[in-house]
Amino acid sequence: MGTLVSFHAHPNDDTTTCGGVLRKAHEDGHRVVLVLATRGELGYNPDGLLADGETLADRRAAEARAAADVLGVDRLEFLGYTDSGMTAAAEGGTFQTADVEEAVQKLAVILREEAADVLTVYDEKGTYGDPDHIQVHRVGTRAAELAGTPKVFQSTINREHIKANQRVLAEQAGVELPAGPDFGTPEAELTCRVDVSAYTEYKRKALLAHASQITPQSTLFTDLPEDTFRTMFGTEWFIRAGQGPGITETDLMA
């Protein structure tokens, strides 16, 4: 059996993009490690959400642990940086302004401790341009080189798939949505497709565990009928350098 380390920027990112492969690896008997760069301090925080003396970082860290349990994570680690938000010129101390080599060393220590066989990061665009996601790509790929981690998969979104899903969601919700997004990666550039439809119940439970981040908009997803949810979230997509063209892998841990 091997070890999968999945590196993400904020709590909840792991569930939406890699929740299925994490649970699949667990079910297949592999060790699963989740590393989060931040505690998501700049996430959704409506009035009245937090208890007296509680910070959003506290809440989101607790939710991350609960979701990790659902997904079969054996070890959860935080690198200790602060959420940058979507601002390009974030304040010092945030993950996007962190010294890259310092962050690389922190992650490389975990990769070596775990003798990781596989690491997941994001694609070089951070999927949709989030500065912290782009930093995950930089830090993760470099740390894998230093630690000698043999396989690095870049989590991304299948652009054509999400546009099709948007149509399904519009029909389900009875609303009109704008034209499909241009973020993610064209399907022709993807090299790995993992069928996680057997684990979408765990993805939904993990999403619900991130209760503080369930916005009025996200309930469109969490309240979907089971079949529709499985269609939308039952496949996870990746790029691995040196693979392709086209889909050449269907299991990160193969």
Side-chain angles (χ1 to χ4, degrees):
M1 296 296 100
T3 298
L4 166 64
V5 177
S6 195
F7 182 35
H8 296 272
H10 320 103
N12 196 36
D13 293 339
D14 50 287
T15 301
T16 53
T17 60
C18 292
V21 295
L22 297 182
R23 184 69 199 191
K24 181 180 186 302
H26 169 76
E27 296 279 351
D28 290 345
H30 301 290
R31 180 168 171 80
V32 179
V33 178
L34 173 60
V35 181
L36 299 175
T38 80
R39 285 174 163 79
E41 293 84 350
L42 297 182
Y44 184 61
N45 187 12
D47 290 341
L49 171 69
L50 303 175
D52 290 344
E54 183 184 31
T55 68
L56 185 59
D58 295 335
R59 174 70 67 88
R60 296 199 72 186
E63 291 173 348
R65 292 186 179 95
D69 288 342
V70 171
L71 297 175
V73 171
D74 297 289
R75 176 184 178 185
L76 170 63
E77 292 287 345
F78 295 90
L79 291 190
Y81 296 101
T82 301
D83 189 352
S84 306
M86 287 296 289
T87 305
E91 297 178 0
T94 61
F95 184 49
Q96 70 157 303
T97 62
D99 181 274
V100 172
E101 285 305 310
E102 175 192 79
V104 163
Q105 291 297 336
K106 288 184 177 183
L107 180 59
V109 166
I110 297 171
L111 294 175
R112 292 190 189 104
E113 288 176 350
E114 295 290 343
D117 300 286
V118 175
L119 172 68
T120 75
V121 296
Y122 304 122
D123 64 36
E124 62 184 6
K125 297 171 290 186
T127 305
Y128 54 88
D130 185 304
D132 283 343
H133 289 207
I134 294 170
Q135 189 77 310
V136 163
H137 175 85
R138 294 191 194 106
V139 170
T141 51
R142 175 64 178 147
E145 290 176 3
L146 288 184
T149 304
K151 290 185 180 181
V152 179
F153 288 89
Q154 301 174 42
S155 173
T156 189
I157 291 173
N158 180 327
R159 189 176 295 172
E160 287 80 3
H161 183 68
I162 197 172
K163 287 182 179 181
N165 281 345
Q166 191 176 46
R167 290 193 294 271
V168 172
L169 182 61
E171 294 171 2
Q172 187 72 41
V175 298
E176 287 191 23
L177 296 174
D182 288 329
F183 58 73
T185 303
E187 189 168 315
E189 298 176 19
L190 302 173
T191 69
C192 179
R193 177 186 63 241
V194 185
D195 179 0
V196 297
S197 57
Y199 311 104
T200 51
E201 65 177 294
Y202 294 99
K203 287 187 73 169
R204 193 200 293 265
K205 288 177 182 176
L207 283 172
L208 293 172
H210 292 283
S212 70
Q213 301 306 296
I214 298 177
T215 68
Q217 291 74 33
S218 65
T219 56
L220 288 175
F221 297 100
T222 56
D223 293 346
L224 286 170
E226 183 178 341
D227 288 348
T228 307
F229 189 90
R230 186 180 301 114
T231 297
M232 298 182 99
F233 295 101
T235 306
E236 293 173 357
W237 309 88
F238 301 86
I239 302 165
R240 184 157 78 95
Q243 298 295 303
I247 301 297
T248 59
E249 296 176 292
T250 58
D251 185 349
L252 304 193
M253 305 303 294

